[in-house]
Amino acid sequence: MIADIHHARDAALHEIEQAPTLDAIVALQARLTGKRSELALLKTGLGGLESVDERREAGRVLNEAMDAVVEALARRREALESEALDIRLAAERLDLTETIGRPRRGHAHLVTQAWERLEDVFVGMGFQVAEGPEVETDWHNFEALNMGEGHPARGEFDTLFVDHVPPGGRAGSTVLRTHTSPVQIRTMLAGAPPIYIVAPGRVFRRDTPDATHMPVFHQIEGLVVDRGISMAHLAGTIDAFTKAFFGQDFSSRLRPSYFPFTEPSAEFDIQLPNGQWLELGGCGMVHPAVLRAGGIDPEEWSGFAFGFGIDRMAVMRHGVGDIREMFSNDIRFIEQF
Ligand code: PHE
């Protein structure tokens, strides 16, 4: 009897070891552990044994054999499952290695590169990035910036108008924003000071394209509103930015100028290591009327703002002769940068 049990167990273990697939394991499980299995049949034979001791011993061996079979089935199943998983993973693996010729990698456009670097530098200085819509109301683009209807400064922004009359509004009061300065107003209206933001974005003016002008271009606006902000903070910020963006051997200066939305106002230039000065943009202390339009009390808060062209900076940095080149989408030009 004992020998028969051992024999049945060894045969079963051998079959399990050889099972080639999970399906085979399922079939074996039924055949080796079910009611008609050899071990089960041997169990029914236990009753025919003469002595109690013999029966008890055979029963014990039989149980051990059954346990061994069940355990072997589980182990083989596990092995086959992990094998199947390995095979599936190998089949689903994507080989992303470029093997044909020289790999061609794309990159961000020159203007995007400059835009992102500008954001990085200002974020590094503690500014947050804000944005506003490209289609603006006359109020945000002009009126709230201290350029009421008929203000002569409006003439300097060759404005593109949109055929859209807002509910309750009047014809001609929707424009493509001519600068990023309306984001100043939107930011002030959206939250209380202190405000430290930069707002890069696309702006539009009715200009004929030439070597230095495009009707669509990019600016970055800066706005700081806090207690006790002075012109010294403005000058210091512009200089810190100049050195962080262009390099330690660059410096900056402010020249008196005029903008309706800042008072006093200035243009700022940067000086290249070769001594040459380049005009970069406009800036100044935020005009009290502008703070008021933004819902901020000019008796309590003061601030400065600046704005400059991103495209022009990219052109300068890479020595591009004609700004139109940047938007020609000529791959031979774009690939150089
Ligand atoms: N918005 C002005 C322009 O487009 C630049 C500017 C911004 C000037 C902020 C002063 C303060 O010319």
Side-chain angles (χ1 to χ4, degrees):
M1 179 82 182
I2 304 271
D4 288 346
I5 294 170
H6 282 153
H7 185 260
R9 179 198 64 189
D10 291 346
L13 292 181
H14 181 73
E15 262 195 286
I16 292 167
E17 204 50 54
Q18 301 296 314
T21 63
L22 282 167
D23 285 347
I25 285 292
V26 173
L28 278 180
Q29 178 133 22
R31 186 154 62 73
L32 299 177
T33 64
K35 279 206 181 79
R36 325 284 300 265
S37 67
E38 213 175 328
L39 288 172
L41 292 178
L42 283 166
K43 197 170 195 169
T44 57
L46 282 181
L49 290 173
E50 297 286 297
S51 79
V52 180
D53 281 351
E54 241 182 315
R55 257 198 314 249
R56 187 181 294 140
E57 175 62 6
R60 192 181 58 78
V61 173
L62 201 52
N63 281 341
E64 276 176 10
M66 194 51 106
D67 286 350
V69 168
V70 168
E71 200 197 304
L73 279 166
R75 231 183 304 119
R76 183 69 186 143
R77 175 192 291 272
E78 218 170 274
L80 285 168
E81 274 170 354
S82 102
E83 222 170 87
L85 183 67
D86 285 349
I87 289 168
R88 216 186 76 207
L89 288 180
E92 287 177 358
R93 208 177 111 201
L94 287 180
D95 185 356
L96 298 174
T97 321
E98 175 82 65
T99 50
I100 313 158
R102 183 173 67 90
R104 287 168 63 91
R105 288 179 63 191
H107 62 72
H109 188 272
L110 263 187
V111 172
T112 312
Q113 290 178 27
W115 174 321
E116 287 174 352
R117 270 203 67 219
L118 285 165
E119 278 186 3
D120 282 353
V121 168
F122 280 112
V123 166
M125 289 167 70
F127 285 75
Q128 288 188 308
V129 178
E131 59 183 0
E134 295 175 349
V135 178
E136 258 303 3
T137 66
D138 179 278
W139 188 80
H140 289 90
N141 195 82
F142 292 119
E143 192 102 23
L145 289 165
N146 205 26
M147 286 181 280
E149 221 176 314
H151 194 292
R154 285 187 179 221
E156 279 168 38
F157 297 97
D158 297 294
T159 310
L160 289 158
F161 294 87
V162 177
D163 264 342
H164 167 77
V165 184
R170 54 179 175 79
S173 65
T174 308
V175 304
L176 292 183
R177 66 176 177 192
T178 58
H179 50 177
T180 42
S181 298
V183 185
Q184 290 187 33
I185 304 298
R186 290 187 177 273
T187 306
M188 289 190 275
L189 289 174
I195 294 169
Y196 291 81
I197 59 110
V198 286
R202 208 156 30 163
V203 300
F204 310 82
R205 287 188 202 173
R206 193 163 38 79
D207 251 337
T208 309
D210 64 25
T212 53
H213 295 88
M214 286 293 284
V216 180
F217 58 107
H218 303 82
Q219 287 187 333
I220 183 163
E221 192 82 9
L223 174 68
V224 167
V225 181
D226 206 337
R227 288 194 171 86
I229 295 293
S230 76
M231 197 83 183
H233 295 117
L234 169 58
T237 302
I238 299 253
D239 206 56
F241 157 74
T242 302
K243 290 184 163 50
F245 190 83
F246 294 98
Q248 286 302 317
D249 40 358
F250 284 70
S251 55
S252 65
R253 73 176 175 199
L254 301 184
R255 272 181 299 115
S257 184
Y258 172 77
F259 297 99
F261 31 93
T262 45
E263 178 58 36
S265 301
E267 305 270 353
F268 64 94
D269 307 328
I270 58 161
Q271 189 175 35
L272 282 57
N274 68 9
Q276 195 191 340
W277 286 100
L278 278 171
E279 191 182 313
L280 213 58
C283 61
M285 302 306 293
V286 182
H287 195 288
V290 174
L291 289 173
R292 250 179 261 119
I296 291 173
D297 180 2
E299 299 296 329
E300 186 179 354
W301 306 92
S302 59
F304 66 76
F306 57 82
F308 55 89
I310 298 180
D311 315 70
R312 197 187 284 181
M313 269 189 29
V315 161
M316 232 167 58
R317 194 157 155 250
H318 297 281
V320 177
D322 189 322
I323 205 165
R324 287 170 295 189
E325 293 274 22
M326 297 219 293
F327 306 102
S328 63
N329 276 344
D330 185 334
I331 197 82
R332 292 165 303 177
F333 171 82
I334 292 171
E335 274 189 335
Q336 296 176 67
F337 304 98

